[in-house]
Amino acid sequence: MIAPLTLEQLQQRFGGELANGSVEFDRVCTDTRKLDADAIFVALVGESFDAHDFAADLEGKVLGLVVQRRIEGCTLPQWIVGDTTVALGQIGLLCREQFSGPVIAITGSCGKTTVKEMLAAIFGQRHTPCVTQGNLNNQFGVPMTLFGLGPEHDVLILEMGANGPDDIGYLCGIGRPRVTAVNNVKPAHVEGFGSVAGIAAAKGQIYTSLEPGSTAVINADDEFADYWLRNMPDDVETLRVGLGLDCAICAENIEVGGDGCPSFDLVIEGVAHPVQLRLMGEHNVHNALVAAGCAFASGIPAAEIASGLALAGSVAGRLQLLRGRAGETVIDDSYNANPGSVAAAIDLLAQRPGRKILVLGDMAELGADAEAMHRQMGELAAERGLDGLYTFGPLGAAAVEAFAAAAGGSAHGFSERSSLVAALENDLTEDTTVLVKGSRSARMEEVVRALTDTG
Ligand code: ATP
Ligand code: MG
């Protein structure tokens, strides 16, 4: 926090009741395993836990409580509210209001963390950014990031994720960003939104929530770009980025090197700045353009954007280049998967020299189209000329069938990771590249570990 807050201040602004007086604090905790004597404790309630069960034992261990029911027999100051998750966001909002620097927020189906890390690299050159840690992008993570704002920070970069139709609007009400972008819309997590159009509307709240004078960075290559532009609030600036030369910021002369990392000319206001990315995959050019748009809208000079993009490094589990035990190349993209990111991974793998094998764990949360989407991925893998497909999970069968029918190549489905690894190990040569990908629930990092573990 930039300055301390009091429970009384919160109660006066947001309502609720105070018990046992007020207290000043500048830290917040929600985990009883990580208590902090100088913090207040917010008792969150989840489906399978209720932190109120522990609240009575916190005397002497924290400064005060935020609770949904008064904890009797406890002398700690308490702010009693209707919903402690909402209260967490309200505390976050007050922290946000203490900050006067640029505030950027990114949402989208995939690449949010990548864009956020690119922005951290760009700003990190000459500024001290406060950035979402890891993937803390929801109704708990965004307030946590805001609590971390300190007097040393001069820019705030927020990742925002959506599981439901109103999540982004809610998060914007807390983070109050001034420069925002939807990185892209792909059929990820269709469940909960109804359709891809439903996802576009939900993510579009990052634009419709903008206050006058803010800037909307639009990925002009996304099929919903015009939809967002049509629904833009008055007095919001728009900045279009994309491959088209009509965009304010675009990329020209894109080339993908032998290591899979693209280079391109970043063209800002008609001036080209060469960029060599350290991240693999052509889709990272799109991510770089969105990051460049957000940085430019926040006042960073073009040359500094280009040099920052070149510094952004890869993150564990996201297209990380590793060496396997048989001397093969392993690309670890096990962090997560949806049809958009699998298609991007197939394109990347297709550009590698030598034999190319895709190892795909089931993509989760795709709703009624799940099987069809797995079939499409099998077809695409065949179309791009991959040499083999190994799948893990029941939905993989559809991909295997499609791949075998289209390519006649070797495709195998497995219901256990260990048998997948055993079969794959007999199929490896030094000139093979294996790309491992799957939804979080498929835990494909275990396959990566088995392939690369030399201990
Ligand atoms: P999450 O919803 O889990 O927070 P995210 O949106 O933060 O994901 P990243 O963690 O940056 O996304 O990347 C996740 C996966 O998406 C990676 O496997 C990456 O290869 C892929 N990906 C990243 N950017 C794009 C893009 N622009 N188009 C397609 N796939 C992408
Ligand atoms: Mg993320």
Side-chain angles (χ1 to χ4, degrees):
M1 275 175 213
I2 293 167
L5 297 170
T6 66
L7 289 183
E8 186 180 16
Q9 205 178 339
L10 288 160
Q11 188 263 336
Q12 281 178 357
R13 171 87 178 260
F14 301 111
E17 281 172 45
L18 283 183
N20 306 330
S22 178
V23 68
E24 188 178 85
F25 63 94
D26 62 7
R27 289 210 285 274
V28 178
C29 61
T30 58
D31 187 340
T32 48
R33 291 160 304 181
K34 294 184 206 150
L35 291 174
D36 175 346
D38 295 322
I40 57 157
F41 180 80
V42 181
L44 297 174
V45 180
E47 266 170 33
S48 56
F49 69 92
D50 182 348
H52 292 77
D53 297 343
F54 311 100
D57 300 327
L58 296 181
E59 214 143 338
K61 297 179 186 158
V62 294
L63 290 176
L65 303 175
V66 180
V67 285
Q68 289 177 192
R69 53 178 191 269
R70 185 179 179 146
I71 306 298
E72 300 295 341
C74 169
T75 60
L76 284 172
Q78 302 176 24
W79 179 34
I80 304 152
V81 299
D83 183 333
T84 44
T85 302
V86 171
L88 193 76
Q90 290 166 335
I91 304 169
L93 173 61
L94 290 195
C95 296
R96 161 66 184 90
E97 288 178 351
Q98 296 174 344
F99 183 70
S100 56
V103 182
I104 302 172
I106 310 295
T107 191
S109 297
C110 42
K112 298 181 289 295
T113 297
T114 308
V115 171
K116 177 204 77 177
E117 291 301 330
M118 286 174 165
L119 282 166
I122 293 169
F123 280 97
Q125 299 172 101
R126 249 182 355 103
H127 293 78
T128 309
C130 172
V131 189
T132 296
Q133 294 295 301
N135 210 26
L136 294 172
N137 64 16
N138 64 9
Q139 70 273 36
F140 308 111
V142 171
M144 291 295 177
T145 306
L146 297 170
F147 303 154
L149 265 173
E152 69 278 21
H153 294 125
D154 53 7
V155 54
L156 170 63
I157 303 165
L158 296 170
E159 173 174 341
M160 295 185 175
N163 290 312
D166 296 317
D167 290 358
I168 297 297
Y170 175 79
L171 297 176
C172 286
I174 296 167
R176 298 192 36 210
R178 302 297 309 247
V179 172
T180 63
V182 180
N183 194 39
N184 51 39
V185 168
K186 317 249 169 167
H189 310 301
V190 176
E191 282 170 11
F193 297 100
S195 63
V196 181
I199 299 180
K203 302 208 186 295
Q205 290 179 353
I206 209 160
Y207 298 132
T208 53
S209 312
L210 282 174
E211 293 158 32
S214 307
T215 306
V217 175
I218 309 276
N219 173 1
D221 299 325
D222 195 275
E223 63 170 306
F224 291 99
D226 288 337
Y227 163 80
W228 291 316
L229 284 167
R230 278 198 307 277
N231 291 289
M232 201 57 72
D234 291 340
D235 303 323
V236 165
E237 301 271 332
T238 56
L239 182 75
R240 289 170 70 254
V241 305
L243 296 184
L245 294 176
D246 58 329
C247 289
I249 298 182
C250 68
E252 278 189 290
N253 304 320
I254 301 171
E255 277 175 34
V256 179
D259 58 358
C261 299
S263 63
F264 61 97
D265 284 331
L266 178 70
V267 183
I268 300 186
E269 293 184 321
V271 181
H273 303 265
V275 173
Q276 170 68 61
L277 290 181
R278 282 166 54 189
L279 299 166
M280 295 174 76
E282 205 168 327
H283 60 275
N284 277 314
V285 177
H286 294 269
N287 294 338
L289 286 171
V290 170
C294 293
F296 192 66
S298 309
I300 301 290
E304 199 172 324
I305 295 173
S307 58
L309 286 172
L311 293 174
S314 69
V315 187
R318 295 177 184 89
L319 293 174
Q320 243 194 347
L321 208 54
L322 305 168
R323 180 71 51 204
R325 284 194 301 175
E328 82 280 15
T329 303
V330 177
I331 301 176
D332 177 6
D333 202 25
S334 61
Y335 169 70
N336 218 340
N338 59 52
S341 67
V342 172
I346 290 173
D347 282 342
L348 174 118
L349 183 57
Q351 288 169 5
R352 298 281 308 174
R355 290 178 70 237
K356 310 168 233 302
I357 296 177
L358 174 66
V359 177
L360 181 64
D362 277 0
M363 299 178 283
E365 298 180 70
L366 291 177
D369 297 334
E371 214 178 286
M373 285 175 176
H374 282 79
R375 196 170 313 119
Q376 273 174 22
M377 293 303 117
E379 281 165 8
L380 184 68
E383 217 170 90
R384 296 284 189 273
L386 301 193
D387 300 289
L389 173 67
Y390 287 69
T391 66
F392 165 65
L395 289 165
V400 165
E401 228 179 81
F403 184 85
S410 82
H412 316 272
F414 296 87
S415 55
E416 278 170 39
R417 290 180 210 84
S418 54
S419 34
L420 186 157
V421 170
L424 179 61
E425 276 180 332
N426 287 321
D427 193 10
L428 295 176
T429 53
E430 278 195 14
D431 79 331
T432 304
T433 301
V434 183
L435 190 146
V436 185
K437 192 162 180 68
S439 273
R440 200 79 296 287
S441 52
R443 299 207 311 273
M444 298 303 281
E445 64 275 15
E446 291 180 19
V447 171
V448 173
R449 214 172 297 133
L451 290 173
T452 55
D453 188 8
T454 49

